[in-house]
Amino acid sequence: MRIGYARVSSELQSENAQLDALANCGCERIYHEKISGKGTKRPELIRLLDSIRTGDTVIVQRLDRLGRSLSDLINLLSAFKQKNVEFISLNENIDTSSATGELIFHMIGAIAQFERRLISERTKVGLEAAKVRGRKGGRKPKLTHSDVKKARAMLSSGEVSKAEVAQHFKVSRPTLNKALEK
């Protein structure tokens, strides 16, 4: 049986192109999900792994849809191999039914991981450079220094609860608590 797997990282993305490509190459069953590839909890991938049998072929449109790291991809490929299941990636033209296809799989996976590491390193360098110039990353605090002083004053009177103070400043209690700890 030809089994497809499609994944997009967020609800804003559409998996239609992947689903069409998998249907066009003859997939009889397609598992798809909208979830980040970083996490290990991908319920549809787990269902796919539970359902594959000897002689099946797992097909993805692109290699990065299956796994986000080389070790993740190799572990999945090993799981396929243990069950005598072949693997095909359409965009990279990888078919593990041949020795060449398996070699290409490992090479492309290594290059993809290398590229992700380069991006991560460049991001870290950029953030460090911004920090040196006095820029600070992240979200702006919901409560200003002045708001925190007012919240402390409101709470010290004993007439107002933390829930009421949080509601007054339109923040959650955990946000208020975090601001008060600083």
Side-chain angles (χ1 to χ4, degrees), residues 135-149:
R135 294 177 128 196
K136 198 170 149 188
R139 255 200 266 186
K140 292 186 188 221
K142 290 204 173 202
L143 296 171
T144 65
H145 182 66
S146 171
D147 290 339
V148 174
K149 284 175 68 176

PDB file of all heavy atoms in Angstrom, residues 135-149:
ATOM      1  N   ARG A 135      19.829  46.953  22.048  1.00  0.00           N
ATOM      2  CA  ARG A 135      18.481  46.501  21.724  1.00  0.00           C
ATOM      3  C   ARG A 135      18.166  45.240  22.508  1.00  0.00           C
ATOM      4  O   ARG A 135      19.020  44.392  22.718  1.00  0.00           O
ATOM      5  CB  ARG A 135      18.370  46.220  20.234  1.00  0.00           C
ATOM      6  CG  ARG A 135      18.527  47.470  19.419  1.00  0.00           C
ATOM      7  CD  ARG A 135      18.479  47.151  17.968  1.00  0.00           C
ATOM      8  NE  ARG A 135      17.513  47.995  17.329  1.00  0.00           N
ATOM      9  CZ  ARG A 135      17.011  47.772  16.136  1.00  0.00           C
ATOM     10  NH1 ARG A 135      17.375  46.711  15.470  1.00  0.00           N
ATOM     11  NH2 ARG A 135      16.163  48.609  15.606  1.00  0.00           N
ATOM     12  N   LYS A 136      16.936  45.128  22.892  1.00  0.00           N
ATOM     13  CA  LYS A 136      16.518  43.979  23.674  1.00  0.00           C
ATOM     14  C   LYS A 136      15.422  43.258  22.896  1.00  0.00           C
ATOM     15  O   LYS A 136      14.487  43.892  22.416  1.00  0.00           O
ATOM     16  CB  LYS A 136      15.987  44.482  25.016  1.00  0.00           C
ATOM     17  CG  LYS A 136      15.920  43.449  26.078  1.00  0.00           C
ATOM     18  CD  LYS A 136      15.625  44.130  27.397  1.00  0.00           C
ATOM     19  CE  LYS A 136      14.846  43.212  28.285  1.00  0.00           C
ATOM     20  NZ  LYS A 136      14.379  43.864  29.480  1.00  0.00           N
ATOM     21  N   GLY A 137      15.534  41.958  22.771  1.00  0.00           N
ATOM     22  CA  GLY A 137      14.545  41.195  22.021  1.00  0.00           C
ATOM     23  C   GLY A 137      13.335  40.851  22.872  1.00  0.00           C
ATOM     24  O   GLY A 137      13.271  41.146  24.058  1.00  0.00           O
ATOM     25  N   GLY A 138      12.393  40.243  22.241  1.00  0.00           N
ATOM     26  CA  GLY A 138      11.200  39.782  22.951  1.00  0.00           C
ATOM     27  C   GLY A 138      10.085  40.798  22.939  1.00  0.00           C
ATOM     28  O   GLY A 138      10.207  41.916  22.436  1.00  0.00           O
ATOM     29  N   ARG A 139       8.997  40.370  23.537  1.00  0.00           N
ATOM     30  CA  ARG A 139       7.824  41.222  23.625  1.00  0.00           C
ATOM     31  C   ARG A 139       8.016  42.337  24.632  1.00  0.00           C
ATOM     32  O   ARG A 139       8.707  42.164  25.628  1.00  0.00           O
ATOM     33  CB  ARG A 139       6.655  40.374  24.111  1.00  0.00           C
ATOM     34  CG  ARG A 139       5.681  40.043  23.051  1.00  0.00           C
ATOM     35  CD  ARG A 139       4.387  39.667  23.697  1.00  0.00           C
ATOM     36  NE  ARG A 139       4.285  38.236  23.868  1.00  0.00           N
ATOM     37  CZ  ARG A 139       3.223  37.631  24.306  1.00  0.00           C
ATOM     38  NH1 ARG A 139       2.165  38.309  24.650  1.00  0.00           N
ATOM     39  NH2 ARG A 139       3.199  36.342  24.431  1.00  0.00           N
ATOM     40  N   LYS A 140       7.332  43.446  24.403  1.00  0.00           N
ATOM     41  CA  LYS A 140       7.354  44.525  25.380  1.00  0.00           C
ATOM     42  C   LYS A 140       6.505  44.074  26.565  1.00  0.00           C
ATOM     43  O   LYS A 140       5.488  43.404  26.389  1.00  0.00           O
ATOM     44  CB  LYS A 140       6.774  45.799  24.779  1.00  0.00           C
ATOM     45  CG  LYS A 140       7.641  46.364  23.693  1.00  0.00           C
ATOM     46  CD  LYS A 140       7.135  47.694  23.221  1.00  0.00           C
ATOM     47  CE  LYS A 140       7.940  48.050  22.023  1.00  0.00           C
ATOM     48  NZ  LYS A 140       8.384  49.271  21.788  1.00  0.00           N
ATOM     49  N   PRO A 141       6.915  44.465  27.776  1.00  0.00           N
ATOM     50  CA  PRO A 141       6.137  44.065  28.946  1.00  0.00           C
ATOM     51  C   PRO A 141       4.725  44.656  28.889  1.00  0.00           C
ATOM     52  O   PRO A 141       4.538  45.783  28.431  1.00  0.00           O
ATOM     53  CB  PRO A 141       6.915  44.637  30.126  1.00  0.00           C
ATOM     54  CG  PRO A 141       8.125  45.285  29.579  1.00  0.00           C
ATOM     55  CD  PRO A 141       8.073  45.239  28.100  1.00  0.00           C
ATOM     56  N   LYS A 142       3.757  43.893  29.366  1.00  0.00           N
ATOM     57  CA  LYS A 142       2.372  44.384  29.353  1.00  0.00           C
ATOM     58  C   LYS A 142       2.163  45.474  30.395  1.00  0.00           C
ATOM     59  O   LYS A 142       1.295  46.325  30.239  1.00  0.00           O
ATOM     60  CB  LYS A 142       1.413  43.230  29.602  1.00  0.00           C
ATOM     61  CG  LYS A 142       1.353  42.270  28.445  1.00  0.00           C
ATOM     62  CD  LYS A 142       0.063  41.524  28.454  1.00  0.00           C
ATOM     63  CE  LYS A 142      -0.011  40.703  27.193  1.00  0.00           C
ATOM     64  NZ  LYS A 142      -1.336  40.355  26.830  1.00  0.00           N
ATOM     65  N   LEU A 143       2.958  45.409  31.461  1.00  0.00           N
ATOM     66  CA  LEU A 143       2.846  46.416  32.505  1.00  0.00           C
ATOM     67  C   LEU A 143       4.107  47.279  32.527  1.00  0.00           C
ATOM     68  O   LEU A 143       5.221  46.761  32.603  1.00  0.00           O
ATOM     69  CB  LEU A 143       2.671  45.754  33.877  1.00  0.00           C
ATOM     70  CG  LEU A 143       1.381  44.940  34.070  1.00  0.00           C
ATOM     71  CD1 LEU A 143       1.428  44.171  35.376  1.00  0.00           C
ATOM     72  CD2 LEU A 143       0.173  45.854  34.039  1.00  0.00           C
ATOM     73  N   THR A 144       3.914  48.578  32.483  1.00  0.00           N
ATOM     74  CA  THR A 144       5.059  49.492  32.560  1.00  0.00           C
ATOM     75  C   THR A 144       5.544  49.563  34.012  1.00  0.00           C
ATOM     76  O   THR A 144       4.861  49.098  34.938  1.00  0.00           O
ATOM     77  CB  THR A 144       4.669  50.912  32.092  1.00  0.00           C
ATOM     78  OG1 THR A 144       3.695  51.436  33.015  1.00  0.00           O
ATOM     79  CG2 THR A 144       4.120  50.896  30.670  1.00  0.00           C
ATOM     80  N   HIS A 145       6.683  50.200  34.210  1.00  0.00           N
ATOM     81  CA  HIS A 145       7.218  50.380  35.566  1.00  0.00           C
ATOM     82  C   HIS A 145       6.209  51.144  36.418  1.00  0.00           C
ATOM     83  O   HIS A 145       5.983  50.818  37.591  1.00  0.00           O
ATOM     84  CB  HIS A 145       8.559  51.119  35.487  1.00  0.00           C
ATOM     85  CG  HIS A 145       9.222  51.308  36.814  1.00  0.00           C
ATOM     86  ND1 HIS A 145       9.700  50.251  37.560  1.00  0.00           N
ATOM     87  CD2 HIS A 145       9.468  52.436  37.539  1.00  0.00           C
ATOM     88  CE1 HIS A 145      10.212  50.714  38.678  1.00  0.00           C
ATOM     89  NE2 HIS A 145      10.091  52.040  38.695  1.00  0.00           N
ATOM     90  N   SER A 146       5.591  52.134  35.814  1.00  0.00           N
ATOM     91  CA  SER A 146       4.575  52.935  36.504  1.00  0.00           C
ATOM     92  C   SER A 146       3.360  52.082  36.884  1.00  0.00           C
ATOM     93  O   SER A 146       2.818  52.207  37.987  1.00  0.00           O
ATOM     94  CB  SER A 146       4.155  54.098  35.606  1.00  0.00           C
ATOM     95  OG  SER A 146       3.054  54.765  36.130  1.00  0.00           O
ATOM     96  N   ASP A 147       2.940  51.183  35.964  1.00  0.00           N
ATOM     97  CA  ASP A 147       1.801  50.302  36.244  1.00  0.00           C
ATOM     98  C   ASP A 147       2.096  49.393  37.428  1.00  0.00           C
ATOM     99  O   ASP A 147       1.227  49.150  38.279  1.00  0.00           O
ATOM    100  CB  ASP A 147       1.468  49.431  35.019  1.00  0.00           C
ATOM    101  CG  ASP A 147       0.882  50.221  33.859  1.00  0.00           C
ATOM    102  OD1 ASP A 147       0.356  51.323  34.086  1.00  0.00           O
ATOM    103  OD2 ASP A 147       0.962  49.699  32.720  1.00  0.00           O
ATOM    104  N   VAL A 148       3.314  48.885  37.487  1.00  0.00           N
ATOM    105  CA  VAL A 148       3.694  47.980  38.579  1.00  0.00           C
ATOM    106  C   VAL A 148       3.653  48.728  39.908  1.00  0.00           C
ATOM    107  O   VAL A 148       3.172  48.191  40.919  1.00  0.00           O
ATOM    108  CB  VAL A 148       5.088  47.355  38.320  1.00  0.00           C
ATOM    109  CG1 VAL A 148       5.552  46.532  39.510  1.00  0.00           C
ATOM    110  CG2 VAL A 148       5.064  46.500  37.061  1.00  0.00           C
ATOM    111  N   LYS A 149       4.149  49.983  39.924  1.00  0.00           N
ATOM    112  CA  LYS A 149       4.104  50.796  41.151  1.00  0.00           C
ATOM    113  C   LYS A 149       2.654  51.012  41.591  1.00  0.00           C
ATOM    114  O   LYS A 149       2.325  50.890  42.773  1.00  0.00           O
ATOM    115  CB  LYS A 149       4.794  52.144  40.922  1.00  0.00           C
ATOM    116  CG  LYS A 149       6.313  52.046  40.920  1.00  0.00           C
ATOM    117  CD  LYS A 149       6.991  53.343  40.565  1.00  0.00           C
ATOM    118  CE  LYS A 149       6.821  54.395  41.617  1.00  0.00           C
ATOM    119  NZ  LYS A 149       7.581  55.644  41.306  1.00  0.00           N
TER     120      LYS A 149
END
